[in-house]
Amino acid sequence: MSCPHENYLVALVVPVYNEEQSISGFVQALLTALSPELPHLELVFVDDGSTDGTVARIEELLSPQEPLKVSLIRLSRNFGKEAAMTAALDLVDADAVIPMDVDLQDPPELVLDFIRIWKEEGVDDVYGIRTDRSFDPDTKRLTSEGFYYIFNKLTSKVRIPENVGDFRLLDRKVVLTLRQLGERNRFMKGLFAWPGFASRGVGYRRPGRAAGHSKWNYWKLWNFALDGIVAFSSLPLRVWSYIGCAVGLVAVVSMVVLILRVAFYGADVPGYASLMCVILFLGAVQLISVGVLGEYLSRLTEEVKHRPVYVVSRISGPLSQRVAAGLNAASNGVVYNGKEPKSATASSRDQDASS
Ligand code: UDP
Ligand code: MG
């Protein structure tokens, strides 16, 4: 059984970026849908550097009189949704964590099913599967299907289920494992699948956005897909030696054919077209292979720099006390909470100095 205590705590972690129109509708929907579980829930917003009234809306909810315990982690600027989720997973201290979007595209009612399956069946990673995506445009559905197909063909060790986003329940042991994954490239869908604990999907119909607009465009999605593939497969990098061998073999065969032809039939001067075709083809193959090298090398540079994934400028609400009391160690970022920053690098340096 995953949750040995009846008195369990589940943290809903919600990254928000310029979402002032969505906050109050989201909290109302939570209160209505999750009333039987409210005593076991806490809500942790991560403000990802919003420039509108998002923080003010959340601060109105911080009062202890509110029916739901609310905390706020503020990042120092916009680091992106993946970094915001990493901050929450590093800092939140609960028996299970549920990352969800604020735009009500992740239906709150499903949280009850997640908790039931976690408690009763001991499943450590209960994820939502989008069975109906009719609210997404056709191009987004098609490109996303193509991505899952290619990703799962290229990776052998980690499989990400199709049509599954970040909306899921993660048991504490999955969260603790995720804190150990220190890469800067936080492709969360892949990282969530990596620990490999018992998992199960629950189907749901994904509605359209309740308010505001999506922060994604196709260029961002393309780069996100590359992040995922580069982080979980080295096949695109290794395949070039095989392509090189195949092209080399074709070259040797054509060389033999050409030499024999010249020997038996004499030199054949015209050959401009075939020569151009070969030069252009090989040029393209070489440029593509250099491009693939660049994709890996640029990400390797990011990893080597080892910069923090996020910087927390302030924590408010009940979580603030727990972080101040030293219950949480931030593994992937720097946390200012009115005091000296806590970070994995700082604490290992302290240990080195004392030993
Ligand atoms: N988000 C974030 N940082 C960003 C972009 C988005 O924290 O840089 C949050 C956003 O506020 C929302 C969630 O991530 O709660 C999902 O964003 P969005 O709805 O734009 O993504 P989509 O549903 O279109 O994939
Ligand atoms: Mg959305």
Side-chain angles (χ1 to χ4, degrees):
M1 185 88 175
S2 281
C3 180
H5 316 290
E6 253 324 285
N7 206 6
Y8 56 89
L9 178 67
V10 176
L12 306 173
V13 307
V14 187
V16 282
Y17 177 51
N18 291 343
E19 300 278 7
E20 61 180 354
Q21 295 153 317
S22 307
I23 307 280
S24 63
F26 172 71
V27 174
Q28 276 314 316
L30 285 189
L31 292 176
T32 315
L34 303 179
S35 51
E37 283 289 341
L38 284 186
H40 297 289
L41 295 180
E42 76 169 340
L43 178 57
V44 179
F45 285 106
V46 187
D47 172 54
D48 188 15
S50 300
T51 48
D52 65 353
T54 301
V55 169
R57 291 288 95 73
I58 297 171
E59 279 171 345
E60 288 163 12
L61 302 165
L62 292 179
S63 141
Q65 273 84 51
E66 290 287 328
L68 191 56
K69 291 183 282 291
V70 180
S71 297
L72 168 64
I73 299 172
R74 284 188 73 178
L75 303 189
S76 59
R77 64 166 168 84
N78 179 248
F79 283 88
K81 182 186 176 190
E82 313 281 304
M85 274 194 294
T86 303
L89 291 169
D90 278 357
L91 292 166
V92 163
D93 185 33
D95 297 301
V97 174
I98 301 182
M100 62 194 293
D101 292 354
V102 75
D103 54 12
L104 291 177
Q105 288 197 282
D106 300 335
E109 316 78 72
L110 212 65
V111 166
L112 298 177
D113 292 328
F114 286 178
I115 295 179
R116 185 180 45 75
I117 294 172
W118 168 64
K119 276 174 55 195
E120 292 175 9
E121 299 175 29
V123 179
D124 300 307
D125 173 8
V126 192
Y127 52 81
I129 305 176
R130 304 161 182 178
T131 47
D132 172 8
R133 299 183 55 165
S134 48
F135 280 93
D136 282 335
D138 288 345
T139 38
K140 192 165 177 186
R141 280 206 309 273
L142 274 174
T143 46
S144 131
E145 269 170 33
F147 167 73
Y148 286 113
Y149 181 78
I150 292 172
F151 184 95
N152 285 324
K153 279 270 173 267
L154 289 179
T155 55
S156 50
K157 295 201 178 72
V158 173
R159 253 194 76 82
I160 52 172
E162 254 177 72
N163 289 323
V164 172
D166 301 322
F167 184 38
R168 56 181 70 219
L169 178 145
L170 301 166
D171 182 80
R172 186 180 177 82
K173 58 168 137 1
V174 183
V175 175
L176 294 179
T177 310
L178 289 174
R179 287 184 196 167
Q180 303 298 314
L181 307 184
E183 56 247 76
R184 308 293 98 178
N185 174 3
R186 310 299 294 179
F187 181 73
M188 296 311 272
K189 275 192 235 284
L191 296 186
F192 288 149
W194 188 89
F197 291 108
S199 62
R200 206 185 117 183
V202 184
Y204 73 101
R205 190 172 164 275
R206 184 165 159 89
R209 231 178 191 273
H213 57 87
S214 170
K215 312 290 180 302
W216 292 91
N217 56 39
Y218 284 101
W219 179 242
K220 279 191 187 171
L221 282 172
W222 165 249
N223 281 295
F224 184 59
L226 285 184
D227 275 345
I229 289 170
V230 170
F232 283 90
S233 173
S234 56
L235 197 63
L237 198 58
R238 288 184 290 122
V239 77
W240 293 104
S241 3
Y242 299 102
I243 293 180
C245 289
V247 173
L249 200 70
V250 173
V252 169
V253 172
S254 5
M255 227 162 63
V256 171
V257 170
L258 282 176
I259 290 169
L260 290 179
R261 225 171 71 175
V262 172
F264 287 105
Y265 301 106
D268 187 10
V269 178
Y272 175 77
S274 56
L275 211 61
M276 279 310 280
C277 289
V278 172
I279 291 174
L280 290 178
F281 175 73
L282 288 183
V285 167
Q286 281 172 11
L287 284 179
I288 294 171
S289 65
V290 171
V292 172
L293 269 178
E295 293 294 337
Y296 280 84
L297 196 64
S298 64
R299 283 165 180 83
L300 196 66
T301 317
E302 289 307 309
E303 297 293 330
V304 169
K305 281 193 258 179
H306 210 72
R307 287 187 186 151
V309 176
Y310 56 84
V311 178
V312 171
S313 59
R314 183 87 221 168
I315 305 175
S316 323
L319 185 66
S320 168
Q321 302 306 317
R322 299 209 297 273
V323 172
L327 285 174
N328 313 91
S331 352
N332 291 299
V334 178
V335 180
Y336 291 92
N337 189 21
K339 293 196 174 130
E340 282 292 288
K342 275 163 179 278
S343 73
T345 4
S347 54
S348 60
R349 216 183 306 121
D350 292 348
Q351 277 169 11
D352 288 350
S354 61
S355 62

